[in-house]
Amino acid sequence: MAKNYPLCSNAFVKSVNLTLATFLLGASSVSADVVPTLSTKSLVDRADLIVVGKIERVQESGEGNITFGGANYPSQDYAAEISVDETVKGDPVPRRFVFTFSVPSADEWGNVARGTLLPNTYRVIFLKKTAAGYRFTSPYSPSIPAGPKSCGPDWQVQLGEDAYHRVLQRLLSLLCTDSSSESKQSALFVLNWNEDSSAAPFLKTALNLPGVRSNPTLRMSIVSHLLHWKDSSVLPLAEADLFDQSVQSPFFPKSNLVLAMSSLDPQISIPLLARVLKLPQPDERVAAARFLEYTNSQAALDVLLSALDDPDRQVQFAVMQSLGNLTNQHQWRPNSIDSDSHWDSCIKHWREFEKQTKTAAQ
């Protein structure tokens, strides 16, 4: 083992951030340093009042200053007029419900953001009771999109009667009604891979709708969700989209399919990611190299080592990050793609590691 080379920096921190495309959710958080992951389940649990309806008008009602956590912010006051179709949680409100709010606002933990409501949109709105009325449950995500119509009497999938599943049903009804493609995309973006697996039956059924199945963005997004939730029946669809170079989406990167595949059994995921490493697109090879680590399998080492000489340095960089994390040799991960002694020593280390691995296997 070479020991005299300069060691690579271990400043790289393993990250599982998803590369999901971002869609307009009707909320802005530009003033916050860190935006928490959207959790519909948390919003439902924390809210005292959840209403579904059309935001008819949003009018400015004043301006001034507001103080949160000892910091002073210029603020704008608004009044939103909402035509309520359903109260999912809390005491029923009038059909015409007027809600006043300020931007920015804060949650119970003092997090400040510029969440707002937009007129002429149909939303599920999450509110917290206060001494003076209501405020947003979350200043980051005051509302999520919803379908104004149900999926109809022939739709067989009902997720449940509790508040959380009723909210999911209203959200996902955008997929089975005549909503726009953008609205359908926004609904899928809201889903949380770690919490919303109960939506799988709805997505599986929606995947058979012609308007969904023929749209590459919607199809690949749904398939990625289902794969992450261990539904291997959609694997042929995932493979077809991933390896067909004519299938493209301006909104949904194929790297999300690669990420979803990495959550499958290693006997399935590793051969698939090995194929991705041979695709002509560097971005997809980077994703495969990065997400092979998430298989948490030593069987991924040979695949990664075979890509060490990839012509794209970003791919090489991702390969060495995954190798270092899988083998706990964190000191042999480069911290940049710059051609310097650190990079060269890392490359040399992993080539020697590959030779030793092959020798031990003989």
Side-chain angles (χ1 to χ4, degrees):
M1 187 79 64
K3 295 183 179 179
N4 296 323
Y5 308 119
L7 294 183
C8 306
S9 166
N10 61 359
F12 183 88
V13 178
K14 177 180 175 181
S15 170
V16 294
N17 289 337
L18 307 185
T19 52
L20 293 175
T22 301
F23 303 111
L24 180 64
L25 296 181
S28 171
S29 307
V30 296
S31 66
D33 293 329
V34 178
V35 179
T37 300
L38 176 60
S39 168
T40 301
K41 195 172 193 319
S42 174
L43 287 172
V44 171
D45 290 343
R46 291 162 53 205
D48 296 316
L49 177 67
I50 303 175
V51 296
V52 185
K54 183 181 179 182
I55 303 168
E56 303 284 359
R57 283 170 289 278
V58 178
Q59 295 179 317
E60 295 184 12
S61 58
E63 60 182 21
N65 291 278
I66 194 166
T67 300
F68 297 118
N72 191 55
Y73 301 86
S75 66
Q76 188 73 50
D77 300 326
Y78 296 91
E81 184 179 327
I82 305 164
S83 294
V84 176
D85 289 334
E86 180 183 4
T87 300
V88 176
K89 182 181 179 181
D91 296 331
V93 298
R95 164 72 174 167
R96 180 183 176 275
F97 177 57
V98 178
F99 167 62
T100 58
F101 63 96
S102 299
V103 178
S105 62
D107 60 18
E108 60 265 44
W109 301 300
N111 298 309
V112 180
R114 300 187 62 81
T116 190
L117 299 175
L118 300 178
N120 297 313
T121 59
Y122 198 90
R123 313 288 289 185
V124 182
I125 304 166
F126 304 90
L127 302 176
K128 196 81 173 171
K129 196 168 184 59
T130 68
Y134 292 97
R135 62 168 173 79
F136 292 137
T137 299
S138 167
Y140 301 98
S141 304
S143 67
I144 62 174
K149 304 176 185 176
S150 70
C151 294
D154 297 330
W155 189 261
Q156 299 299 313
V157 183
Q158 301 298 321
L159 297 179
E161 290 302 318
D162 60 289
Y164 165 63
H165 286 105
R166 286 167 65 190
V167 168
L168 277 188
Q169 190 88 22
R170 294 302 296 253
L171 169 75
L172 295 175
S173 65
L174 286 164
L175 297 175
C176 60
T177 55
D178 57 355
S179 64
S180 67
S181 175
E182 291 75 15
S183 295
K184 289 177 169 61
Q185 292 164 17
S186 69
L188 292 170
F189 179 75
V190 169
L191 292 178
N192 185 309
W193 274 11
N194 296 323
E195 297 178 351
D196 297 334
S197 59
S198 58
F202 197 112
L203 296 189
K204 190 72 175 287
T205 303
L207 193 57
N208 295 318
L209 298 172
V212 172
R213 199 177 185 91
S214 63
N215 183 308
T217 297
L218 301 177
R219 184 178 66 244
M220 287 192 289
S221 179
I222 289 176
V223 167
S224 293
H225 281 85
L226 293 173
L227 277 182
H228 188 79
W229 295 329
K230 312 301 183 186
D231 184 347
S232 59
S233 69
V234 296
L235 192 55
L237 273 176
E239 291 185 68
D241 281 339
L242 186 58
F243 296 109
D244 184 348
Q245 303 306 304
S246 68
V247 175
Q248 298 293 331
S249 166
F251 303 106
F252 191 87
K254 288 188 177 182
S255 55
N256 291 330
L257 283 175
V258 181
L259 175 58
M261 286 178 176
S262 72
S263 66
L264 301 176
D265 186 282
Q267 291 184 330
I268 297 173
S269 61
I270 291 176
L272 285 171
L273 298 185
R275 287 177 60 194
V276 179
L277 269 174
K278 299 184 183 303
L279 289 175
Q281 292 80 9
D283 287 349
E284 288 159 28
R285 300 202 306 276
V286 168
R290 192 68 194 90
F291 299 144
L292 271 163
E293 174 193 337
Y294 300 163
T295 65
N296 293 315
S297 172
Q298 295 298 299
L301 293 178
D302 287 343
V303 177
L304 287 164
L305 289 167
S306 72
L308 192 59
D309 292 320
D310 191 280
D312 189 284
R313 291 179 76 87
Q314 293 284 2
V315 178
Q316 290 181 296
F317 179 85
V319 164
M320 289 187 279
Q321 301 304 320
S322 291
L323 285 170
N325 288 326
L326 280 171
T327 62
N328 290 317
Q329 298 184 55
H330 302 135
Q331 71 273 30
W332 294 108
R333 301 173 302 179
N335 62 355
S336 75
I337 63 171
D338 294 339
S339 182
D340 55 22
S341 58
H342 287 187
W343 177 274
D344 294 339
S345 64
C346 289
I347 288 285
K348 189 164 186 176
H349 168 79
W350 291 115
R351 283 177 178 152
E352 291 187 359
F353 179 85
E354 182 179 20
K355 289 177 183 177
Q356 291 181 353
T357 302
K358 290 180 178 178
T359 300
Q362 291 176 352

